[in-house]
């Protein structure tokens, strides 16, 4: 697979088959991804890989906390309080495109909650990864981190695997720490579902748009 094909064939997949992913393949992907650059080679990434009974246990614990109506807040802010344009339009479009595909109508909060819950089973993926970062590090290391996670998702494509990055988990850091022994000194950046795409899952027919180049590229020459 070319790098271009790996990058452009990656999509967020929200339904996986139960085909297992060997742990040595996961390790190879992580090892390749860690070739990502990082300021002064600090390599700020840390990963907790969950599979099998541990994945089920983690998933059950978070779903229990969710359904108990407990208050859980993320340790960091991913989104602004108020979304300016053009971001709000793009955000709404992808949300409604997904909901329309899976048959959720505007205002159907019960069905929305069921769809959102699927995050917490890693959309049935056989492998879940939690990415964490030392709280003492700064925003620059989060930049490095993004490059690393993109590498994970791109390298996964080479092996025929699909993925979905998931900030949804970050909210449940207390539950995840208790289940997985993630230290207090580390922030949970996001989760990643990893496995083989279930092509019969309607959500996976979603094709997201990108703004045309002329909207966001400025060429200055001469
Ligand atoms: C850091 C990060 C966190 C995300 N969190 C979630 C999530 O919690 N649940 C989800 O279904 N999708 C999540 N997404 C997927 C985005 O919705 C998706 O990347 C975007 O709509 C573009 O679609 P594509 O990935 O298929 O190209 C996340 C993406 C990123 C980069």
């Amino acid at each position: 697979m070319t790098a271009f094909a790996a990058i452009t064939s990656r999509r967020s997949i929200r339904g996986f088959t139960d085909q297992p992913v060997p742990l040595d393949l996961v390790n190879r992907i992580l090892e390749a991804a860690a070739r990502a650059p990082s300021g002064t080679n600090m390599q700020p990434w840390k990963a907790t890989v969950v599979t099998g009974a541990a994945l089920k246990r983690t998933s059950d614990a978070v779903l229990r906390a969710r359904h108990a109506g407990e208050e859980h807040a993320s340790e960091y802010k991913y989104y602004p309080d108020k979304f300016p344009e053009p971001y709000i339009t793009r955000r709404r479009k992808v949300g409604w495109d997904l909901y329309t595909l899976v048959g959720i109508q505007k205002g159907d909060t019960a069905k929305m909650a069921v769809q959102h819950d699927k995050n917490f089973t890693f959309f049935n993926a056989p492998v879940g990864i939690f990415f964490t970062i030392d709280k003492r590090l700064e925003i620059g290391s989060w930049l490095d981190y993004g490059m690393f996670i993109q590498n994970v998702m791109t390298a996964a494509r080479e092996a025929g695997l699909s993925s979905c990055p998931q900030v949804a988990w970050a909210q449940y850091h207390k539950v995840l720490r208790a289940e997985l022994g993630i230290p207090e000194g580390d922030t949970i950046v996001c989760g990643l579902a990893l496995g083989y795409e279930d092509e019969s899952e309607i959500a996976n027919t979603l094709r997201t748009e990108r703004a045309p180049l002329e909207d966001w590229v400025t060429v200055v020459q001469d």
Side-chain angles (χ1 to χ4, degrees), residues 10-12 14 78 94 119 123 164-168 208 210:
R10 185 214 57 80
R11 291 178 286 115
S12 292
R14 299 182 178 90
Y78 189 99
V94 76
N119 272 290
F123 302 104
C164 185
Q166 299 176 273
V167 76
T208 56
R210 294 297 186 271

Side-chain angles (χ1 to χ4, degrees), residues 133 136-145:
I133 187 169
R136 295 169 298 181
L137 299 186
E138 296 290 352
I139 194 171
S141 293
W142 286 69
L143 180 63
D144 304 337
Y145 219 120

Side-chain angles (χ1 to χ4, degrees), residues 125-173:
V127 172
I129 307 179
F130 293 106
F131 293 116
T132 61
I133 187 169
D134 190 313
K135 285 181 181 167
R136 295 169 298 181
L137 299 186
E138 296 290 352
I139 194 171
S141 293
W142 286 69
L143 180 63
D144 304 337
Y145 219 120
M147 298 184 199
F148 164 75
I149 295 175
Q150 174 66 9
N151 268 1
V152 173
M153 297 188 291
T154 309
R157 294 301 302 136
E158 164 81 23
L161 289 165
S162 291
S163 61
C164 185
Q166 299 176 273
V167 76
W169 291 99
Q171 194 183 341
Y172 295 98
H173 60 96

